[in-house]
């Protein structure tokens, strides 16, 4: 790697720009002949490049794969076009949805803009949102949307659309043809029926072309359905992502990520059909990518994820940005932390909006830093004066599925809206164990041999939550 002759044009060469004949690395020895890689070195390096891109394709593809899984579930039950799926008696643990709740009335619908613009008539008093096929924010509807909770007509137009945009609508252009319409109506005094009635009375979804005589919007009850909306953690993951690649405009996820996907064989207009070498690499990439996502979520190294410096509670929206941006830089691990365990992207969950929307705190550790164990008994003492204008709740999830924990309890949750026994000082003790502890009025069942995590939700969060003058305690293991 060094010059051995002193020729007429010879000058001193800085040693830091030269490549040694051998370098020992984590992927093995890399050997060169005066800078030319040997065949074995090139093979190792290309395997590493393809593996690294496979891991990146997994981590960055999670939002899209998750949306494909949601669409698959909605298609199976028929909640597409002018049919809206509503959990009329709430969602329970039979349905596999990433960290869904069982305290509000969910509605779900898949909007396809390939045949032209679609109108959504939003009911009053809901929290709704539309996300594109990559789970990117398009708009809020309802309380956090431009209709300010009074209800209104929204018009969604497809990418590349240059047709008429009639007056009387809140108009939004989506970057993708496929979009998710999701929202929540609220119970009154513990009864979901008023919220369901409001949805059926006012929620409408239909093509703009039929606005003169809209077809009826129909509703199907999804409560109690055993359905899956969680993406794969096997090679099938890439096939889920490929559905978006093939259906949406080329480059809809931006040139850099489109390039990452193309590098592992996800190319618009071409079948995803890796050869044996690439298949083996991608199987490993999914395994490592999945392990990375689980590490980011359940053993995070992000200090900014922690809501309090001395406690285990974390926030799903790090940095207060629904795009996970900080001075123009995207925090990829923060985005993964959210989308591996959750769905639906809106600024209403990321930005401090006292009295509006909802806020979340998650934990899978006790106060001693031990993962929550389904065989143990825990107490969570919620201090008095929870800063929630509407109500607060705690819900238990299965770490494997990131969905509601399936036990003998239909709803693995406790909510102030449903009435909870309080202590004399106004605090509330919640218990988590395989069997109800003696004297435990507020109890959620867990399963021996299964880990779990929880999300504490505040609906209508108030200023003491944001300024941290009110703090949430950690779990105490008491048996």
């Amino acid at each position: 790697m060094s010059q051995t002759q002193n020729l007429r044009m010879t000058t001193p060469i800085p040693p830091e720009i030269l490549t040694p004949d051998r370098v020992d690395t984590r992927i093995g020895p890399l050997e060169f002949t005066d800078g030319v890689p040997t065949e074995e070195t090139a093979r190792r390096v290309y395997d590493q490049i393809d593996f690294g891109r496979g891991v990146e394709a997994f981590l960055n593809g999670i939002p899209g794969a998750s949306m494909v899984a949601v669409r698959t579930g909605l298609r199976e039950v028929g909640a597409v076009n002018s049919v809206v799926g509503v959990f009329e008696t709430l969602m329970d643990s039979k349905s596999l949805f990433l960290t869904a709740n069982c305290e509000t009335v969910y509605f779900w619908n898949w909007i396809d803009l390939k045949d032209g613009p679609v109108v959504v008539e939003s009911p009053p008093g809901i929290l709704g949102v539309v996300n594109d096929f990559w789970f990117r924010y398009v708009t809020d509807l309802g309380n956090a949307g431009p209709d300010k909770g009074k209800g209104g007509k929204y018009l969604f137009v497809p990418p590349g659309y240059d047709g008429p945009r009639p007056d009387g609508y809140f108009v939004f252009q989506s970057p993708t043809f496929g979009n998710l319409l999701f929202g929540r109506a609220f119970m009154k005094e513990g009864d979901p029926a008023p919220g369901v009635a409001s949805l059926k009375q006012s929620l409408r979804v239909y093509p703009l072309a039929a606005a003169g005589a809209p077809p009826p919007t129909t509703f199907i009850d999804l409560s109690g359905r055993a359905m899956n909306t969680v993406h794969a953690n096997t090679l099938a993951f890439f096939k889920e992502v490929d559905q978006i690649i093939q259906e949406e405009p080329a480059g809809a996820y931006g040139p850099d990520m489109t390039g990452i996907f193309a590098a592992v064989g996800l190319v618009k207009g071409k079948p995803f059909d890796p050869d044996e070498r690439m298949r083996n690499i991608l199987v490993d990439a999914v395994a490592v990518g999945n392990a990375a996502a689980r590490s980011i979520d359940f053993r995070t190294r992000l200090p900014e994820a922690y809501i309090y410096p001395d406690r285990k509670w974390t926030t799903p929206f790090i940095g207060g940005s629904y795009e996970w941006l900080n001075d123009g830089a995207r925090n990829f691990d923060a985005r993964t932390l959210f989308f591996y365990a959750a769905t639906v992207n809106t600024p209403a969950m990321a930005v401090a909006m006292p009295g509006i929307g909802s806020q979340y705190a998650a934990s899978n550790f006790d106060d001693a830093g031990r993962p929550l164990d389904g065989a143990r008994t825990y107490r969570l003492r919620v201090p008095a004066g929870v800063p929630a204008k509407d109500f607060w709740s705690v819900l238990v999830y299965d770490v494997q599925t990131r969905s509601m924990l399936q036990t003998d309890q239909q709803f693995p949750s406790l909510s102030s809206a449903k009435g909870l026994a309080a202590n004399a000082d106004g605090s509330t003790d919640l218990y988590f164990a395989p069997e109800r502890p003696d004297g435990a009025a507020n109890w959620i069942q867990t399963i021996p041999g299964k880990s779990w995590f929880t999300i504490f939700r505040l609906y209508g969060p108030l200023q003491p939550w944001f300024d941290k003058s009110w703090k949430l305690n950690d779990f105490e293991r008491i048996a």
Side-chain angles (χ1 to χ4, degrees):
M1 71 174 187
S2 60
Q3 291 179 291
T4 58
Q5 301 181 59
N6 188 17
L7 303 178
R8 186 168 64 91
M9 297 300 294
T10 298
T11 62
I13 304 298
E16 63 269 20
I17 74 171
L18 300 176
T19 299
D21 291 338
R22 178 186 171 105
V23 181
D24 292 317
T25 73
R26 64 188 303 160
I27 64 171
L30 304 180
E31 298 180 334
F32 306 84
T33 301
D34 197 25
V36 178
T38 64
E39 288 187 9
E40 175 60 19
T41 290
R43 182 195 66 77
R44 287 186 179 181
V45 169
Y46 284 130
D47 282 354
Q48 176 63 25
I49 289 173
D50 291 340
F51 171 75
R53 287 172 176 164
V55 172
E56 287 302 313
F58 180 90
L59 293 173
N60 290 282
I62 286 172
S66 184
M67 188 66 97
V68 168
V70 169
R71 182 180 71 168
T72 298
L74 296 182
R75 281 179 167 178
E76 288 176 353
V77 299
V80 298
N81 302 322
S82 291
V83 179
V84 178
V86 181
F87 286 88
E88 296 189 14
T89 53
L90 307 180
M91 185 188 293
D92 63 27
S93 57
K94 286 186 177 180
S95 300
L96 299 179
F97 281 75
L98 293 178
T99 53
N101 76 62
C102 49
E103 283 90 32
T104 56
V105 180
Y106 280 133
F107 64 88
W108 302 74
N109 171 262
W110 186 258
I111 298 175
D112 191 337
L113 301 177
K114 285 188 176 178
D115 293 328
V118 170
V119 175
V120 175
E121 296 184 13
S122 176
I126 65 162
L127 281 174
V129 65
V130 169
N131 284 172
D132 82 350
F133 214 158
W134 288 107
F135 257 126
R136 293 175 297 192
Y137 174 72
V138 177
T139 185
D140 286 298
L141 303 85
N143 297 351
D147 68 280
K148 305 300 183 184
K150 297 178 181 179
K153 291 185 177 181
Y154 290 75
L155 179 63
F156 297 95
V157 302
Y161 178 78
D162 59 0
R165 303 183 183 205
D167 295 335
Y169 298 91
F170 301 110
V171 182
F172 295 90
Q173 185 161 25
S174 173
T176 59
F177 295 110
N179 294 267
L180 175 67
L181 168 63
F182 161 84
R184 295 175 292 187
F186 297 94
M187 295 191 288
K188 292 186 178 179
E189 298 180 353
D191 184 5
V196 174
S198 177
L199 291 175
K200 291 184 175 181
Q201 179 180 346
S202 305
L203 178 60
R204 300 290 182 266
V205 183
Y206 53 86
L208 176 64
T217 297
T218 58
F219 298 85
I220 54 175
D221 185 7
L222 300 183
S223 292
R225 293 262 191 155
M227 55 186 294
N228 175 44
T229 65
V230 180
H231 67 77
N233 286 326
T234 65
L235 191 66
F237 175 94
F238 293 111
K239 296 180 180 179
E240 291 171 334
V241 173
D242 193 51
Q243 291 184 43
I244 311 179
I245 301 294
Q246 301 308 324
E247 295 179 27
E248 296 297 341
Y253 202 15
D256 292 338
M257 278 316 307
T258 300
I260 290 289
F261 291 135
V264 299
L266 299 169
V267 180
K268 187 173 179 64
K270 295 182 179 180
F272 175 63
D273 186 25
D275 58 23
E276 183 178 4
R277 169 191 166 274
M278 194 64 181
R279 180 185 177 88
N280 291 336
I281 286 174
L282 291 181
V283 167
D284 279 353
V286 169
V288 172
N290 182 52
R294 287 186 170 275
S295 297
I296 290 167
D297 255 300
F298 301 117
R299 288 192 180 274
T300 184
R301 67 178 181 179
L302 299 170
E304 61 270 35
Y306 291 94
I307 297 173
Y308 316 107
D310 59 342
R311 306 185 190 191
K312 306 302 185 293
W313 294 95
T314 60
T315 174
F317 275 107
I318 294 173
S321 166
Y322 73 96
E323 296 177 294
W324 296 274
L325 292 175
N326 182 19
D327 291 333
R330 189 164 335 265
N331 188 330
F332 291 106
D333 285 358
R335 186 173 66 180
T336 295
L337 183 146
F338 179 82
F339 279 113
Y340 191 74
T343 59
V344 183
N345 185 7
T346 166
M349 293 193 292
V351 179
M353 301 170 63
I356 298 175
S358 49
Q359 287 287 309
Y360 308 82
S363 182
N364 65 296
F365 291 101
D366 65 18
D367 56 357
R370 298 166 296 199
L372 298 172
D373 181 347
R376 299 286 186 167
T377 299
Y378 299 89
R379 179 179 64 196
L380 175 64
R381 178 160 289 171
V382 180
V386 179
K389 177 172 66 72
D390 301 317
F391 67 96
W392 58 270
S393 71
V394 175
L395 206 151
V396 169
Y397 298 96
D398 183 332
V399 172
Q400 284 281 8
T401 66
R402 291 94 71 209
S403 302
M404 294 185 206
L405 187 67
Q406 296 179 332
T407 66
D408 292 328
Q409 293 176 323
Q410 182 181 10
F411 302 112
S413 71
L414 294 166
S415 168
S416 66
K418 299 176 182 177
L420 297 171
N423 301 321
D425 64 355
S427 65
T428 305
D429 286 342
L430 311 180
Y431 291 88
F432 306 79
E435 297 182 359
R436 184 189 295 270
D438 291 341
N442 312 312
W443 167 66
I444 298 179
Q445 185 179 9
T446 59
I447 304 171
K450 178 161 283 297
S451 58
W452 57 276
F453 70 102
T454 190
I455 294 180
F456 186 94
R457 289 177 168 86
L458 302 95
Y459 293 91
L462 300 175
Q463 187 59 33
W465 172 256
F466 297 105
D467 64 24
K468 299 182 177 60
S469 58
W470 183 92
K471 291 186 177 182
L472 192 57
N473 294 320
D474 282 329
F475 287 88
E476 304 170 73
R477 194 169 87 180
I478 59 177

